[in-house]
Amino acid sequence: MTIENKALHVIFGTGPVGLAIMDELYKQQEVAIRLVNRSGKVSEPLPEGVELVNGDASDKSFAIQAAQRASVIYFALNPPYHLWTELFPQLQEGVIAAAEAHKAKLVVMENVYMYGDTNGQPLHESLPHKAHTRKGSLRAKMHATLMEAHNSGRICAVVGRASDFYGPRVTQSAGGETIFGKLAVGKSAQFIGDPDQPHTYTYMPDVGKALVMLGQNEDVFGEVWHIPNAPAMTTRKLVELAATEFGTASNIQAMPKWMVRIMGMFVKTLGEFPEMMYEFEQPFIVENNKFEQRFGVSATPMLEGIRATVEWYKREKM
Protein backbone atom coordinates (compact mmCIF):
# COMPACT_ATOMS: atom_id res chain seq x y z
CA MET A 1 0.00 0.00 0.00
CA THR A 2 1.42 3.40 -0.93
CA ILE A 3 1.73 6.27 1.55
CA GLU A 4 -1.00 8.16 -0.30
CA ASN A 5 -3.47 5.31 0.27
CA LYS A 6 -2.72 4.79 3.94
CA ALA A 7 -4.77 6.32 6.76
CA LEU A 8 -3.07 9.49 7.97
CA HIS A 9 -2.09 10.06 11.59
CA VAL A 10 -1.16 13.65 12.46
CA ILE A 11 1.04 14.40 15.47
CA PHE A 12 0.98 17.94 16.83
CA GLY A 13 4.31 18.31 18.62
CA THR A 14 7.81 17.05 17.86
CA GLY A 15 9.28 16.87 21.34
CA PRO A 16 10.01 13.52 23.01
CA VAL A 17 6.31 12.57 23.19
CA GLY A 18 5.58 13.40 19.55
CA LEU A 19 8.67 11.55 18.34
CA ALA A 20 7.86 8.53 20.54
CA ILE A 21 4.42 8.37 18.90
CA MET A 22 6.10 8.63 15.50
CA ASP A 23 8.48 5.79 16.38
CA GLU A 24 5.61 3.47 17.30
CA LEU A 25 3.53 4.33 14.24
CA TYR A 26 6.52 3.97 11.93
CA LYS A 27 7.37 0.61 13.46
CA GLN A 28 3.91 -0.66 12.60
CA GLN A 29 4.16 0.60 8.99
CA GLU A 30 0.38 0.73 8.70
CA VAL A 31 -0.32 4.47 8.46
CA ALA A 32 1.06 7.63 6.92
CA ILE A 33 2.57 10.06 9.44
CA ARG A 34 2.57 13.86 9.50
CA LEU A 35 4.32 15.88 12.18
CA VAL A 36 3.33 19.46 13.00
CA ASN A 37 5.40 21.98 14.91
CA ARG A 38 6.05 25.70 15.02
CA SER A 39 9.65 25.82 13.82
CA GLY A 40 9.74 23.36 10.95
CA LYS A 41 12.81 21.76 12.55
CA VAL A 42 13.27 18.56 14.52
CA SER A 43 16.08 17.32 16.71
CA GLU A 44 17.00 14.43 14.42
CA PRO A 45 16.52 13.23 10.82
CA LEU A 46 13.02 11.94 10.18
CA PRO A 47 12.35 8.46 8.79
CA GLU A 48 11.66 8.19 5.09
CA GLY A 49 8.13 9.21 4.18
CA VAL A 50 7.34 11.09 7.40
CA GLU A 51 6.01 14.54 6.56
CA LEU A 52 6.73 17.73 8.55
CA VAL A 53 4.51 20.83 8.49
CA ASN A 54 5.26 23.98 10.44
CA GLY A 55 3.01 26.68 11.82
CA ASP A 56 1.20 27.89 14.93
CA ALA A 57 -1.35 25.31 16.13
CA SER A 58 -3.14 27.95 18.20
CA ASP A 59 -4.25 29.40 14.86
CA LYS A 60 -7.34 27.27 14.22
CA SER A 61 -7.26 27.80 10.47
CA PHE A 62 -3.67 26.56 10.33
CA ALA A 63 -4.37 23.60 12.62
CA ILE A 64 -7.31 22.55 10.45
CA GLN A 65 -5.23 22.83 7.30
CA ALA A 66 -2.30 20.95 8.84
CA ALA A 67 -4.57 18.06 9.77
CA GLN A 68 -6.21 17.58 6.37
CA ARG A 69 -7.07 13.91 5.69
CA ALA A 70 -6.28 12.90 9.29
CA SER A 71 -8.04 9.88 10.75
CA VAL A 72 -6.26 10.16 14.12
CA ILE A 73 -4.72 13.28 15.66
CA TYR A 74 -2.33 13.31 18.63
CA PHE A 75 -2.01 16.37 20.87
CA ALA A 76 1.60 16.21 22.10
CA LEU A 77 2.40 19.92 22.26
CA ASN A 78 3.98 21.33 25.42
CA PRO A 79 4.88 25.04 25.54
CA PRO A 80 7.66 26.38 27.78
CA TYR A 81 6.82 25.81 31.46
CA HIS A 82 6.61 29.51 32.29
CA LEU A 83 4.26 30.17 29.34
CA TRP A 84 1.68 27.49 30.04
CA THR A 85 -1.11 29.89 31.05
CA GLU A 86 -0.48 32.08 28.04
CA LEU A 87 -0.14 29.40 25.35
CA PHE A 88 -1.45 25.98 26.39
CA PRO A 89 -5.25 26.46 26.22
CA GLN A 90 -5.06 28.08 22.78
CA LEU A 91 -2.94 25.23 21.44
CA GLN A 92 -5.50 22.70 22.65
CA GLU A 93 -8.35 24.70 21.14
CA GLY A 94 -6.58 24.70 17.78
CA VAL A 95 -6.11 20.93 17.83
CA ILE A 96 -9.71 20.36 18.96
CA ALA A 97 -10.86 22.48 16.02
CA ALA A 98 -8.76 20.33 13.67
CA ALA A 99 -10.21 17.10 15.05
CA GLU A 100 -13.74 18.46 14.77
CA ALA A 101 -13.25 19.73 11.22
CA HIS A 102 -11.93 16.40 9.94
CA LYS A 103 -13.95 14.09 12.22
CA ALA A 104 -10.64 12.60 13.35
CA LYS A 105 -10.15 10.74 16.60
CA LEU A 106 -8.13 12.79 19.10
CA VAL A 107 -5.55 11.29 21.48
CA VAL A 108 -4.38 13.75 24.14
CA MET A 109 -1.25 13.62 26.29
CA GLU A 110 -1.85 14.99 29.80
CA ASN A 111 0.00 14.88 33.10
CA VAL A 112 -1.28 14.29 36.65
CA TYR A 113 -1.19 17.83 38.03
CA MET A 114 -4.99 18.14 38.16
CA TYR A 115 -5.29 15.60 40.99
CA GLY A 116 -3.49 17.91 43.41
CA ASP A 117 -1.70 16.82 46.57
CA THR A 118 -2.85 13.37 47.70
CA ASN A 119 -0.57 13.38 50.76
CA GLY A 120 1.49 10.54 49.39
CA GLN A 121 -1.43 8.31 48.43
CA PRO A 122 -1.26 6.63 44.98
CA LEU A 123 -2.82 8.41 42.02
CA HIS A 124 -5.46 6.64 39.94
CA GLU A 125 -7.88 7.70 37.22
CA SER A 126 -10.98 7.91 39.43
CA LEU A 127 -9.51 10.54 41.75
CA PRO A 128 -11.33 13.89 41.77
CA HIS A 129 -9.53 16.91 40.40
CA LYS A 130 -8.47 18.91 43.46
CA ALA A 131 -5.63 20.96 42.05
CA HIS A 132 -4.29 23.57 44.44
CA THR A 133 -1.59 24.98 42.13
CA ARG A 134 -1.81 27.33 39.16
CA LYS A 135 -0.51 24.75 36.72
CA GLY A 136 -2.70 21.99 38.16
CA SER A 137 -5.78 24.21 37.92
CA LEU A 138 -4.89 25.00 34.31
CA ARG A 139 -4.59 21.31 33.41
CA ALA A 140 -7.91 20.58 35.16
CA LYS A 141 -9.62 23.35 33.20
CA MET A 142 -8.10 22.15 29.92
CA HIS A 143 -9.29 18.61 30.62
CA ALA A 144 -12.80 19.86 31.39
CA THR A 145 -12.81 21.75 28.08
CA LEU A 146 -11.66 18.66 26.22
CA MET A 147 -14.30 16.41 27.80
CA GLU A 148 -17.02 18.99 27.14
CA ALA A 149 -16.10 18.87 23.45
CA HIS A 150 -16.16 15.06 23.56
CA ASN A 151 -19.42 14.73 25.50
CA SER A 152 -21.18 17.23 23.25
CA GLY A 153 -20.30 15.10 20.23
CA ARG A 154 -18.01 17.67 18.63
CA ILE A 155 -15.02 15.32 18.82
CA CYS A 156 -14.07 11.81 19.89
CA ALA A 157 -11.22 12.08 22.41
CA VAL A 158 -9.19 9.88 24.73
CA VAL A 159 -6.59 10.90 27.31
CA GLY A 160 -3.30 9.33 28.34
CA ARG A 161 -1.63 10.58 31.52
CA ALA A 162 1.92 9.96 32.69
CA SER A 163 4.24 10.80 35.54
CA ASP A 164 7.67 12.40 35.11
CA PHE A 165 9.35 11.18 31.95
CA TYR A 166 12.70 9.50 31.48
CA GLY A 167 14.16 7.84 28.42
CA PRO A 168 15.87 8.62 25.11
CA ARG A 169 15.32 12.21 23.95
CA VAL A 170 14.03 13.27 27.38
CA THR A 171 15.87 16.33 28.69
CA GLN A 172 13.30 18.70 30.22
CA SER A 173 12.07 16.48 33.03
CA ALA A 174 12.93 15.55 36.60
CA GLY A 175 14.26 12.32 35.06
CA GLY A 176 16.09 14.02 32.24
CA GLU A 177 19.12 16.26 31.78
CA THR A 178 19.60 17.02 35.46
CA ILE A 179 20.15 13.33 36.18
CA PHE A 180 21.35 11.54 33.04
CA GLY A 181 22.96 14.57 31.41
CA LYS A 182 24.97 15.43 34.50
CA LEU A 183 26.10 11.85 35.08
CA ALA A 184 27.09 11.55 31.41
CA VAL A 185 29.75 14.24 31.87
CA GLY A 186 30.95 13.04 35.27
CA LYS A 187 29.02 15.53 37.38
CA SER A 188 26.66 14.98 40.29
CA ALA A 189 23.01 14.40 39.43
CA GLN A 190 20.68 17.16 40.55
CA PHE A 191 17.22 16.69 42.00
CA ILE A 192 14.62 19.05 43.38
CA GLY A 193 13.15 17.67 46.60
CA ASP A 194 13.83 14.52 48.63
CA PRO A 195 15.63 11.84 46.57
CA ASP A 196 14.77 9.16 49.13
CA GLN A 197 11.02 9.23 48.51
CA PRO A 198 9.55 6.64 46.10
CA HIS A 199 8.69 8.31 42.81
CA THR A 200 7.02 7.04 39.64
CA TYR A 201 8.88 7.66 36.37
CA THR A 202 7.34 6.93 32.96
CA TYR A 203 9.57 5.58 30.18
CA MET A 204 9.17 7.60 26.98
CA PRO A 205 8.92 4.68 24.49
CA ASP A 206 6.11 3.30 26.68
CA VAL A 207 4.33 6.65 26.27
CA GLY A 208 4.44 6.44 22.49
CA LYS A 209 3.28 2.82 22.50
CA ALA A 210 0.40 3.49 24.89
CA LEU A 211 -0.90 6.58 23.06
CA VAL A 212 -0.91 4.72 19.75
CA MET A 213 -2.78 1.82 21.37
CA LEU A 214 -5.39 4.22 22.71
CA GLY A 215 -5.88 5.66 19.24
CA GLN A 216 -6.42 2.20 17.78
CA ASN A 217 -9.22 1.01 20.09
CA GLU A 218 -12.74 2.37 19.82
CA ASP A 219 -13.90 1.37 23.31
CA VAL A 220 -11.38 3.51 25.21
CA PHE A 221 -12.55 6.94 24.05
CA GLY A 222 -14.13 9.36 26.47
CA GLU A 223 -11.92 8.05 29.29
CA VAL A 224 -8.62 8.76 31.04
CA TRP A 225 -5.87 6.13 31.04
CA HIS A 226 -2.65 6.15 33.05
CA ILE A 227 0.21 5.01 30.86
CA PRO A 228 2.09 1.95 32.21
CA ASN A 229 4.85 2.71 34.71
CA ALA A 230 7.41 0.43 36.29
CA PRO A 231 7.13 0.13 40.10
CA ALA A 232 8.17 3.34 41.81
CA MET A 233 11.70 3.61 43.15
CA THR A 234 13.57 6.36 44.93
CA THR A 235 15.40 8.86 42.78
CA ARG A 236 18.56 8.00 44.67
CA LYS A 237 18.22 4.40 43.46
CA LEU A 238 17.56 5.64 39.92
CA VAL A 239 20.78 7.67 40.09
CA GLU A 240 22.72 4.67 41.44
CA LEU A 241 21.55 2.45 38.59
CA ALA A 242 22.28 5.11 35.97
CA ALA A 243 25.70 5.85 37.43
CA THR A 244 26.59 2.15 37.29
CA GLU A 245 25.69 2.07 33.59
CA PHE A 246 27.75 5.20 32.95
CA GLY A 247 30.63 3.80 34.99
CA THR A 248 30.77 6.91 37.16
CA ALA A 249 30.27 7.89 40.77
CA SER A 250 26.72 7.89 42.13
CA ASN A 251 26.50 11.41 43.52
CA ILE A 252 23.34 13.48 43.85
CA GLN A 253 22.76 17.11 44.83
CA ALA A 254 19.30 17.57 46.32
CA MET A 255 17.90 21.10 46.18
CA PRO A 256 15.40 22.05 48.90
CA LYS A 257 12.51 24.41 48.22
CA TRP A 258 14.23 27.50 49.61
CA MET A 259 17.13 27.03 47.20
CA VAL A 260 14.76 26.49 44.27
CA ARG A 261 12.93 29.72 45.16
CA ILE A 262 16.16 31.69 45.11
CA MET A 263 17.34 30.17 41.85
CA GLY A 264 13.90 30.73 40.37
CA MET A 265 14.44 34.47 40.70
CA PHE A 266 17.04 34.17 37.94
CA VAL A 267 15.84 31.15 35.91
CA LYS A 268 12.22 31.36 34.68
CA THR A 269 11.70 27.62 34.45
CA LEU A 270 12.91 27.02 38.01
CA GLY A 271 10.62 29.80 39.16
CA GLU A 272 7.69 27.56 38.21
CA PHE A 273 8.82 24.62 40.36
CA PRO A 274 8.14 25.55 44.01
CA GLU A 275 4.35 25.10 43.77
CA MET A 276 4.85 21.60 42.31
CA MET A 277 7.41 20.39 44.83
CA TYR A 278 4.84 18.43 46.81
CA GLU A 279 5.38 15.77 44.14
CA PHE A 280 9.03 15.43 45.15
CA GLU A 281 8.84 15.79 48.94
CA GLN A 282 6.68 12.73 49.68
CA PRO A 283 5.84 9.41 47.98
CA PHE A 284 4.56 10.08 44.45
CA ILE A 285 3.12 6.90 42.98
CA VAL A 286 1.03 6.78 39.82
CA GLU A 287 -1.01 3.60 39.36
CA ASN A 288 -1.77 2.09 35.95
CA ASN A 289 -3.84 -1.00 36.76
CA LYS A 290 -6.65 0.11 34.45
CA PHE A 291 -4.40 0.17 31.37
CA GLU A 292 -2.68 -3.10 32.22
CA GLN A 293 -5.98 -4.91 32.75
CA ARG A 294 -7.50 -3.59 29.52
CA PHE A 295 -4.50 -4.12 27.24
CA GLY A 296 -2.43 -6.76 29.02
CA VAL A 297 0.63 -4.53 28.66
CA SER A 298 3.17 -3.73 31.36
CA ALA A 299 5.80 -1.03 31.50
CA THR A 300 9.39 -1.53 30.42
CA PRO A 301 11.44 -2.62 33.48
CA MET A 302 13.33 0.31 34.99
CA LEU A 303 16.80 -1.16 34.51
CA GLU A 304 16.10 -1.84 30.82
CA GLY A 305 14.80 1.71 30.38
CA ILE A 306 17.74 3.19 32.26
CA ARG A 307 20.22 1.32 30.07
CA ALA A 308 18.57 2.60 26.87
CA THR A 309 18.52 6.13 28.29
CA VAL A 310 22.19 5.94 29.24
CA GLU A 311 23.09 4.77 25.73
CA TRP A 312 21.22 7.73 24.23
CA TYR A 313 22.95 10.20 26.53
CA LYS A 314 26.31 8.64 25.77
CA ARG A 315 25.75 9.29 22.07
CA GLU A 316 24.63 12.85 22.76
CA LYS A 317 27.09 13.87 25.48
CA MET A 318 30.20 11.69 25.42
mmCIF file of all heavy atoms in Angstrom, residues 29 33 41 60 88 102 114 123 165 183 236 239 261 276 289:
data_model
loop_
_atom_site.group_PDB
_atom_site.id
_atom_site.type_symbol
_atom_site.label_atom_id
_atom_site.label_comp_id
_atom_site.label_asym_id
_atom_site.label_seq_id
_atom_site.Cartn_x
_atom_site.Cartn_y
_atom_site.Cartn_z
ATOM 1 N N GLN A 29 4.197 0.469 10.455
ATOM 2 C CA GLN A 29 4.157 0.595 8.992
ATOM 3 C C GLN A 29 2.751 0.470 8.413
ATOM 4 O O GLN A 29 2.578 -0.020 7.298
ATOM 5 C CB GLN A 29 5.077 -0.437 8.348
ATOM 6 C CG GLN A 29 6.560 -0.171 8.551
ATOM 7 C CD GLN A 29 7.060 1.009 7.723
ATOM 8 O OE1 GLN A 29 6.852 1.086 6.531
ATOM 9 N NE2 GLN A 29 7.728 1.931 8.398
ATOM 10 N N ILE A 33 2.302 9.248 8.247
ATOM 11 C CA ILE A 33 2.571 10.062 9.437
ATOM 12 C C ILE A 33 2.898 11.492 9.025
ATOM 13 O O ILE A 33 3.750 11.723 8.156
ATOM 14 C CB ILE A 33 3.753 9.486 10.244
ATOM 15 C CG1 ILE A 33 3.499 8.021 10.600
ATOM 16 C CG2 ILE A 33 4.004 10.318 11.500
ATOM 17 C CD1 ILE A 33 4.741 7.307 11.138
ATOM 18 N N LYS A 41 11.563 22.488 12.295
ATOM 19 C CA LYS A 41 12.806 21.763 12.547
ATOM 20 C C LYS A 41 12.554 20.690 13.600
ATOM 21 O O LYS A 41 11.696 20.835 14.468
ATOM 22 C CB LYS A 41 13.901 22.712 13.035
ATOM 23 C CG LYS A 41 14.246 23.826 12.060
ATOM 24 C CD LYS A 41 15.284 24.766 12.660
ATOM 25 C CE LYS A 41 15.610 25.913 11.714
ATOM 26 N NZ LYS A 41 16.599 26.860 12.300
ATOM 27 N N LYS A 60 -6.441 28.369 14.585
ATOM 28 C CA LYS A 60 -7.338 27.271 14.224
ATOM 29 C C LYS A 60 -7.333 26.989 12.728
ATOM 30 O O LYS A 60 -7.389 25.825 12.319
ATOM 31 C CB LYS A 60 -8.754 27.577 14.707
ATOM 32 C CG LYS A 60 -8.901 27.570 16.218
ATOM 33 C CD LYS A 60 -10.352 27.822 16.624
ATOM 34 C CE LYS A 60 -10.490 27.830 18.137
ATOM 35 N NZ LYS A 60 -11.883 28.067 18.568
ATOM 36 N N PHE A 88 -0.950 27.349 26.423
ATOM 37 C CA PHE A 88 -1.452 25.982 26.395
ATOM 38 C C PHE A 88 -2.930 25.865 25.973
ATOM 39 O O PHE A 88 -3.272 25.067 25.095
ATOM 40 C CB PHE A 88 -1.242 25.312 27.755
ATOM 41 C CG PHE A 88 -0.668 23.922 27.676
ATOM 42 C CD1 PHE A 88 0.024 23.387 28.765
ATOM 43 C CD2 PHE A 88 -0.830 23.124 26.555
ATOM 44 C CE1 PHE A 88 0.547 22.105 28.723
ATOM 45 C CE2 PHE A 88 -0.306 21.841 26.496
ATOM 46 C CZ PHE A 88 0.378 21.330 27.584
ATOM 47 N N HIS A 102 -12.211 17.579 10.762
ATOM 48 C CA HIS A 102 -11.928 16.397 9.938
ATOM 49 C C HIS A 102 -12.550 15.119 10.483
ATOM 50 O O HIS A 102 -12.302 14.042 9.948
ATOM 51 C CB HIS A 102 -10.417 16.236 9.802
ATOM 52 C CG HIS A 102 -9.745 17.408 9.165
ATOM 53 N ND1 HIS A 102 -9.987 17.776 7.860
ATOM 54 C CD2 HIS A 102 -8.872 18.325 9.669
ATOM 55 C CE1 HIS A 102 -9.271 18.866 7.579
ATOM 56 N NE2 HIS A 102 -8.587 19.213 8.660
ATOM 57 N N MET A 114 -3.615 17.778 37.787
ATOM 58 C CA MET A 114 -4.986 18.138 38.160
ATOM 59 C C MET A 114 -5.496 17.417 39.393
ATOM 60 O O MET A 114 -6.451 17.844 40.027
ATOM 61 C CB MET A 114 -5.949 17.905 36.983
ATOM 62 C CG MET A 114 -6.109 16.473 36.546
ATOM 63 S SD MET A 114 -4.704 15.872 35.572
ATOM 64 C CE MET A 114 -4.871 16.883 34.109
ATOM 65 N N LEU A 123 -1.929 7.717 42.947
ATOM 66 C CA LEU A 123 -2.818 8.410 42.020
ATOM 67 C C LEU A 123 -3.449 7.396 41.071
ATOM 68 O O LEU A 123 -2.754 6.554 40.508
ATOM 69 C CB LEU A 123 -2.039 9.454 41.214
ATOM 70 C CG LEU A 123 -1.743 10.811 41.880
ATOM 71 C CD1 LEU A 123 -0.840 10.633 43.096
ATOM 72 C CD2 LEU A 123 -1.094 11.760 40.892
ATOM 73 N N PHE A 165 8.742 11.991 33.002
ATOM 74 C CA PHE A 165 9.352 11.180 31.954
ATOM 75 C C PHE A 165 10.823 10.877 32.229
ATOM 76 O O PHE A 165 11.542 11.651 32.862
ATOM 77 C CB PHE A 165 9.288 11.911 30.611
ATOM 78 C CG PHE A 165 7.907 12.233 30.114
ATOM 79 C CD1 PHE A 165 7.622 13.475 29.565
ATOM 80 C CD2 PHE A 165 6.891 11.297 30.177
ATOM 81 C CE1 PHE A 165 6.363 13.776 29.088
ATOM 82 C CE2 PHE A 165 5.625 11.579 29.705
ATOM 83 C CZ PHE A 165 5.358 12.835 29.155
ATOM 84 N N LEU A 183 25.285 13.053 34.892
ATOM 85 C CA LEU A 183 26.102 11.854 35.079
ATOM 86 C C LEU A 183 26.933 11.550 33.839
ATOM 87 O O LEU A 183 28.063 11.057 33.940
ATOM 88 C CB LEU A 183 25.210 10.656 35.415
ATOM 89 C CG LEU A 183 24.486 10.692 36.770
ATOM 90 C CD1 LEU A 183 23.544 9.496 36.879
ATOM 91 C CD2 LEU A 183 25.477 10.697 37.929
ATOM 92 N N ARG A 236 17.184 8.379 44.334
ATOM 93 C CA ARG A 236 18.561 7.997 44.670
ATOM 94 C C ARG A 236 18.922 6.654 44.041
ATOM 95 O O ARG A 236 20.021 6.472 43.509
ATOM 96 C CB ARG A 236 18.750 7.941 46.191
ATOM 97 C CG ARG A 236 20.225 7.783 46.594
ATOM 98 C CD ARG A 236 20.392 7.779 48.101
ATOM 99 N NE ARG A 236 19.901 8.991 48.730
ATOM 100 C CZ ARG A 236 20.583 10.140 48.787
ATOM 101 N NH1 ARG A 236 21.783 10.224 48.240
ATOM 102 N NH2 ARG A 236 20.071 11.186 49.393
ATOM 103 N N VAL A 239 19.452 7.103 40.344
ATOM 104 C CA VAL A 239 20.778 7.669 40.090
ATOM 105 C C VAL A 239 21.852 6.598 40.233
ATOM 106 O O VAL A 239 22.791 6.520 39.434
ATOM 107 C CB VAL A 239 21.044 8.851 41.038
ATOM 108 C CG1 VAL A 239 22.506 9.308 40.948
ATOM 109 C CG2 VAL A 239 20.112 10.015 40.700
ATOM 110 N N ARG A 261 13.553 28.387 45.214
ATOM 111 C CA ARG A 261 12.930 29.721 45.158
ATOM 112 C C ARG A 261 13.950 30.797 44.801
ATOM 113 O O ARG A 261 13.686 31.689 43.984
ATOM 114 C CB ARG A 261 12.275 30.052 46.500
ATOM 115 C CG ARG A 261 11.035 29.239 46.800
ATOM 116 C CD ARG A 261 10.335 29.773 48.033
ATOM 117 N NE ARG A 261 9.204 28.960 48.419
ATOM 118 C CZ ARG A 261 8.008 29.017 47.861
ATOM 119 N NH1 ARG A 261 7.783 29.883 46.876
ATOM 120 N NH2 ARG A 261 7.024 28.237 48.294
ATOM 121 N N MET A 276 5.014 23.013 42.666
ATOM 122 C CA MET A 276 4.854 21.604 42.314
ATOM 123 C C MET A 276 5.731 20.680 43.163
ATOM 124 O O MET A 276 5.721 19.460 42.955
ATOM 125 C CB MET A 276 5.188 21.384 40.837
ATOM 126 C CG MET A 276 4.378 22.218 39.855
ATOM 127 S SD MET A 276 2.585 22.103 40.111
ATOM 128 C CE MET A 276 2.323 20.336 40.026
ATOM 129 N N ASN A 289 -3.167 0.294 36.815
ATOM 130 C CA ASN A 289 -3.843 -0.997 36.756
ATOM 131 C C ASN A 289 -4.894 -1.038 35.648
ATOM 132 O O ASN A 289 -5.081 -2.075 34.997
ATOM 133 C CB ASN A 289 -4.513 -1.303 38.103
ATOM 134 C CG ASN A 289 -3.512 -1.443 39.231
ATOM 135 O OD1 ASN A 289 -2.369 -1.799 38.994
ATOM 136 N ND2 ASN A 289 -3.922 -1.143 40.443
#
